Structure formats: structure tokens, C-alpha cells
Amino acid sequence: MVKQIAAAGVMLVSLSAPVYAYEEIAVSDGGTITGTVKLEGAVPKPKGYNLTTLPDPFYCGRISDGQGWRILQPFNVGPAGEFREVVVYLEGVEKGKPFEDGGVPQIEAKDCLFLPFTTVVRDDQSVTVVNMDPVMHDIQAYETSHLGARVLFNVPLPMNPQHPRNFKDRSDAAMYHRHMAGAPMKQLVNLSKGRRIFVMQCGFHAYMESWGVAVMNPYFAKTDEQGRFTITDVPPGTYKLVVWHPYVRTPVEQTVTVGPKSTVEAKVVVPAPTGRLYANEVLDHDYVRYNVTEEAKKEIEPMIHKQER
């Protein structure tokens, strides 16, 4: 996984921006940037993880493809190409509105997923990670770069003690649907100079993955279900609009000019990456080398959601 993290971090060269101290001021004549992000081309294949080789197949296997595989699709794309949950931010804004006091960003482990898949943070800001599941998780966080990955933190993620501790069989796990927060783990994201991206995975369940990008100013947004975004109170000027997704390694950016109290519409088209993006890409046929027997498949029957490959 670390090699994949390093590979995904190659685009950091383009994400490194000049370091400057952002100045918070009152913005009285700010404009608005609104727009859409679409993925053009075939949606890349997802990742596949064999549940018989990983812990907690009874509980985590409640979401699977019915063939003993847990699927992770990093690309959240709508039927018309709406590119969801990607980050859009401005570079070159040296002073403007204050950062919103939204508290510490929180990432939840729920149904053996890290949610959300993408998070926006400020450098030297903490994130809180909470385990909602009745199984143990482990946080392994790395900053990524073209030079390789560096560990940010690695701590166990405890479960709520009110959860049952050991499921005896598949039926016990399938009928248990409670989510209760374990002890929150607050961790500092302190990135090396010029680095902007970090990734978090579970040391027990490799399909649990969450990415974050550090911003230099409060002019950012995440796309919604329609692939839309809005950035408000932008000081008049010309800036670089950057679209970021951890597995799109070609820089996606455009120049935008914002006038006083104006609204600018930006339509961004992201070419879909081609080729094999990760070592554990789902194949068109079963992974026969794991010898997943029919009996093993029956023991990992999806009870919450049957995934498509």
C-alpha cells in the first residue's frame, strides 16, 4: 500500500505552491465562483480486496460483491459524469476572508469504511478519527510525495466498549447494525515543507482509505452529488483554480478572473485516467490464485449492500 501511496503522490510536484502567510481581512466587494466538475471518459476500475485474507470477514463482509471480495471505488461519478467529492481550491489568494471556525475535521470508521473519502485541512491542524464499528481499526497516516511516503501518525482506533467484542458467526455479525463512537483520536497533521497531501488507511482492513489535502487559504469547496461547487467572498483578482482528486495525477487547473461582486461560472472537465492505477485493481475474472472456495463465499454473504465490480 505504501508504494501505491507514493505513486499517487507523484502529482505533489504540481500541488506545491509558494509559501506565504495568508492575511485575514474584511472582504466587502468579493465575488463568487460557481461551477461543475465532470469526468470525461470511462470511469477507472475499482480496487478489490479478498475478504478471506483480512480480519473481520463476518462484519466487514456485510458489504461485498457476493464472491468474497470487498470493492473500493475511489471515483465517485454520476450517470452524466458528475465528479463528486473532489476538492476545488484557489491558489494565489494572499489575503481575504477568515477561515471558518468549523472545528476539527472528523473522519469516521463506519461499516469498515473511512468517511469521508476526501478531507480538506489546514497544515498544522488536527483531525479527529472515531471508530463507529464493533471491530478494531488501526490508523496509519502518511504524507505523500514524489520522494516517497513519510509516516504522520500510527495509532490504534479503539471501539466503543458497549459493542459486542467477538462475533461467533456470520449471522451474529449480519444482524448487528449499531454504530457507537469509540474514544476519539485527535491527531496533528504536520506536513513537510511544500507537501500538501496525506492519506490514511487501516492497518487491519486495507480497503479502508481516506485522503486529505492541506489548503493555504479558505477558498475551497468539495463537489456535491451534481458535481457542483461554490466558492464565495473571493477578493477581485486573477487566480489559479485547482481541481484535486488523489488518483488524478495530471494537474487539472484553469485561470479565473473575479470582478467586484461578480459571479464567475467555471466548467471543469477532468480526463479520466487510463491504464492500471493500482496494483489491486479489480479484474474481469475472479482472482483464482487465492483459491476462494464456494464454501468461503457463502460465509461472506453481503447483508447490507451487494457491490458491483
Side-chain angles (χ1 to χ4, degrees):
M1 176 63 178
V2 174
K3 291 182 179 179
Q4 294 179 39
I5 291 169
V10 169
M11 69 174 293
L12 282 175
V13 176
S14 66
L15 288 177
S16 298
V19 177
Y20 59 85
Y22 177 75
E23 180 183 354
E24 296 184 352
I25 62 171
V27 179
S28 59
D29 58 349
T32 298
I33 301 174
T34 184
T36 56
V37 181
K38 289 196 172 186
L39 188 74
E40 185 177 62
V43 178
K45 291 183 178 180
K47 298 181 176 185
Y49 300 85
N50 183 270
L51 288 166
T52 65
T53 66
L54 298 167
D56 307 307
F58 291 148
Y59 182 78
C60 296
R62 299 182 311 158
I63 300 175
S64 75
D65 70 346
Q67 300 296 316
W69 293 88
R70 179 74 182 243
I71 307 301
L72 174 65
Q73 174 51 276
F75 290 82
N76 188 348
V77 183
E82 304 92 339
F83 207 176
R84 304 159 174 164
E85 208 177 350
V86 296
V87 177
V88 182
Y89 63 89
L90 292 182
E91 284 190 349
V93 186
E94 298 185 1
K95 54 186 178 180
K97 67 180 180 180
F99 280 89
E100 292 184 6
D101 186 15
V104 177
Q106 179 164 305
I107 299 169
E108 290 186 351
K110 191 173 182 180
D111 289 326
C112 299
L113 287 171
F114 277 136
L115 301 172
F117 184 71
T118 54
T119 302
V120 182
V121 300
R122 296 172 66 176
D123 195 9
D124 284 328
Q125 181 186 41
S126 295
V127 295
T128 297
V129 190
V130 177
N131 187 4
M132 306 294 290
D133 286 337
V135 294
M136 284 293 295
H137 296 302
D138 175 70
I139 317 169
Q140 298 178 353
Y142 306 86
E143 68 171 0
T144 69
S145 79
H146 62 293
L147 300 176
R150 182 182 75 88
V151 175
L152 292 174
F153 49 87
N154 185 355
V155 295
L157 190 60
M159 58 184 267
N160 189 304
Q162 300 303 312
H163 281 309
R165 300 207 66 83
N166 288 302
F167 294 116
K168 294 181 180 179
D169 55 33
R170 177 174 56 83
S171 60
D172 281 353
M175 298 304 295
Y176 190 81
H177 300 291
R178 298 187 67 188
H179 294 101
M180 296 185 290
M185 305 302 293
K186 189 175 181 180
Q187 299 294 321
L188 179 67
V189 177
N190 184 7
L191 302 176
S192 300
K193 183 178 180 181
R195 307 297 185 236
R196 300 283 292 275
I197 298 174
F198 73 94
V199 60
M200 189 176 73
Q201 67 178 107
C202 177
F204 302 141
H205 312 98
Y207 40 83
M208 296 178 64
E209 183 181 309
S210 182
W211 293 79
V213 59
V215 294
M216 311 300 290
N217 61 62
Y219 295 100
F220 63 85
K222 284 176 62 175
T223 55
D224 61 16
E225 286 296 299
Q226 286 73 48
R228 296 196 60 82
F229 67 91
T230 301
I231 302 175
T232 62
D233 299 318
V234 182
T238 299
Y239 309 103
K240 182 188 294 183
L241 181 74
V242 180
V243 175
W244 175 79
H245 182 278
Y247 288 102
V248 176
R249 296 160 193 169
T250 302
V252 179
E253 54 193 39
Q254 62 180 241
T255 300
V256 293
T257 299
V258 181
K261 298 183 178 180
S262 67
T263 297
V264 177
E265 179 78 16
K267 295 183 179 181
V268 184
V269 176
V270 179
T274 58
R276 190 163 183 168
L277 301 184
Y278 7 81
N280 53 337
E281 179 183 282
V282 163
L283 302 178
D284 294 330
H285 53 81
D286 285 336
Y287 295 55
V288 293
R289 66 181 180 273
Y290 285 104
N291 295 317
V292 183
T293 64
E294 290 301 319
E295 189 64 27
K297 291 177 183 178
K298 292 177 183 177
E299 285 295 311
I300 311 174
E301 182 179 349
M303 297 292 186
I304 293 180
H305 174 59
K306 184 174 181 180
Q307 298 177 301
E308 299 292 334
R309 292 194 175 196

